[in-house]
Amino acid sequence: MEPCPCGSGREYAACCEPLIKGERPAETAEQLMRSRYTAYVKVRPEYLESTLHPDHRADHDAEGARDWAENSQWHGLEILHVQGGGPNDTEGDVEFVATFTYRGARQRHHERAHFTKVEGKWYFESGRAVPLTRSAPKVGRNDPCPCGSGKKYKKCCGLKGSP
């Protein structure tokens, strides 16, 4: 059994694979969001373009999407909030965080994605990055390192290239 990369806990063959192969459409905005993430993991940029709202396809960077998919190591998808986007809705928003490593740099992409349903089919319409907010004050270079080592931050975890 191959688990689905979207994090649903379901088997890939019963979750996102039928959507990506065009065997069935997404029933909800969240399903489409999960399948689009999985398309990046599986490097299926044609699915990304086909699920992009037709009004926005002219601006789509197919090569950029392929590069991002091929040159990333995908770590996971977390759905934070869903508003609307159900089987009987025509619009929905999905807030999510995708974590990945792109060309050696670990990254966290936090976005609010907007989906619309046109003639019974869900499409990704637009996305807006959610700004990073700090839950704790910024650590200064000369402050004690928050890891508890007793060293200054700049001599410990603040060293360039340290994990």
Side-chain angles (χ1 to χ4, degrees):
M1 177 179 126
E2 178 186 359
C4 193
C6 79
S8 67
R10 299 175 60 206
E11 186 177 347
Y12 174 59
C15 190
C16 291
E17 185 177 39
L19 280 67
I20 292 171
K21 286 185 168 181
E23 296 170 357
R24 67 177 173 86
E27 295 175 11
T28 66
E30 181 180 347
Q31 279 183 350
L32 185 60
M33 177 63 242
R34 288 180 179 279
S35 67
R36 286 177 57 84
Y37 171 83
T38 298
Y40 277 105
V41 174
K42 298 290 187 178
V43 190
R44 297 292 301 269
E46 66 282 352
Y47 179 74
L48 296 168
E49 187 165 2
S50 73
T51 57
L52 181 62
H53 193 283
D55 291 349
H56 302 286
R57 289 186 188 156
D59 299 328
H60 178 64
D61 178 6
E63 288 306 311
R66 177 177 290 284
D67 175 69
W68 193 24
E70 287 178 343
N71 292 298
S72 293
Q73 178 184 4
W74 299 93
H75 305 298
L77 174 69
E78 181 183 3
I79 303 295
L80 301 176
H81 181 73
V82 176
Q83 183 174 349
N88 298 320
D89 294 322
T90 57
E91 292 188 50
D93 294 298
V94 179
E95 183 177 349
F96 68 93
V97 173
T99 53
F100 59 96
T101 300
Y102 180 68
R103 299 189 181 198
R106 189 168 178 105
Q107 298 181 41
R108 182 178 188 271
H109 179 77
H110 186 176
E111 180 178 307
R112 282 191 191 100
H114 183 71
F115 297 84
T116 56
K117 191 189 282 186
V118 178
E119 297 178 6
K121 186 175 178 185
W122 282 106
Y123 292 97
F124 169 72
E125 187 167 341
S126 62
R128 186 171 45 92
V130 176
L132 178 66
T133 57
R134 294 186 191 277
S135 59
K138 183 177 177 179
V139 178
R141 290 176 32 85
N142 292 314
D143 291 339
C145 191
C147 77
S149 68
K151 297 179 182 177
K152 289 183 179 184
Y153 178 70
K154 68 182 179 185
K155 297 286 187 179
C156 190
C157 293
L159 281 173
K160 196 173 198 168
S162 69

